[in-house]
Amino acid sequence: MTDFAIEVLDDKAALIDRSTALTVEWIDRALAVQPTCSIALSGGSTPRPLYAALGDRDLPWDRLHVFWGDERYVPADHPDSNQRMAREAWLDRVPLPPENLHPMPTDGGDPAADANRYARHLQAAFGLADGEFPALDINLLGLGDDGHTASLFPHTDALAVRDRAVAVGNKDGQPRLTLTVPVLARSARTMFLVAGRNKRDALRQVFDPADDATLDSTYPARLVRPAGELRWLLDREAGEPFAGGSG
Ligand code: 6PG
């Protein structure tokens, strides 16, 4: 397991304030040493207020490139779309150049083909050779109460994909597109945002230091072992038992 830091914030509002400040700090640190910053967004409900708060900041939008860590295989205007959620909360409210927006395609009628489309898009966007994986500057992730992250769900085929940057995730038979473990491993800075008492059991399993492949497959967030910085930002409801922890 990668070394990681755990921060437990008093409540959801404090969690959002802290994650906003840390995201802005990480963007600033990336742009201090390079011309652009790449950030991958997670979906779900937890990060929405973070995205809204980022929409109220004055950031160097022309130097920020926004990707997604996963996407439900629905049209971009569908209520379940992660792209729609982030655009409504943040991205459509700021002068981000359209070419800096890199949503996962879900309009090809074939999840596997669209996963490959996004992998090719990443290869071009990051200027990669064949077989190279993108190194995101910032990766924002959530945690399901079943231990999934992005769209890496327990005991699914996507967990084992090591030769492609994007795979088809499977949530109860519903296809999703997801960045794969090798890509999540290369992020320079990874932040998990977790709120709610219902996440405690998953957190306990994810933080278990055992070297256990079955546990990894059952709680896929354990597979996120980035070489770079890894921060877990938890509200007290989720994180009380882990306050002051690290790994
Ligand atoms: C998604 C997310 C997913 C999410 C977790 C937690 O597409 O839903 O990427 O991985 O982060 O399910 O969701 P909540 O924040 O709503 O608990």
Side-chain angles (χ1 to χ4, degrees), residues 103-154:
M104 289 184 160
T106 58
D107 56 353
D110 177 345
D114 279 343
N116 291 336
R117 270 170 74 191
Y118 199 62
R120 289 194 299 275
H121 179 83
L122 292 172
Q123 186 175 18
F126 284 83
L128 304 173
D130 285 346
E132 247 189 304
F133 291 110
L136 288 155
D137 295 307
I138 299 169
N139 189 15
L140 302 180
L141 291 170
L143 178 73
D145 59 10
D146 62 353
H148 84 264
T149 191
S151 281
L152 299 171
F153 289 90

Side-chain angles (χ1 to χ4, degrees), residues 1 143 147 201-209 219 221-222 232:
M1 176 70 80
L143 178 73
D201 288 347
L203 284 167
R204 189 168 290 110
Q205 298 295 341
V206 170
F207 293 154
D208 184 323
Y219 298 94
R222 291 172 54 88
W232 286 83

Side-chain angles (χ1 to χ4, degrees), residues 49-85:
L50 162 61
Y51 300 158
L54 290 171
D56 296 334
R57 294 298 186 99
D58 181 19
L59 297 174
W61 303 113
D62 60 328
R63 299 175 66 195
L64 190 66
H65 283 261
V66 180
F67 299 84
W68 271 261
D70 73 318
E71 183 59 275
R72 292 84 181 277
Y73 202 70
V74 295
D77 60 356
H78 190 283
D80 291 346
S81 165
N82 289 339
Q83 175 189 172
R84 173 175 164 176
M85 182 272 278

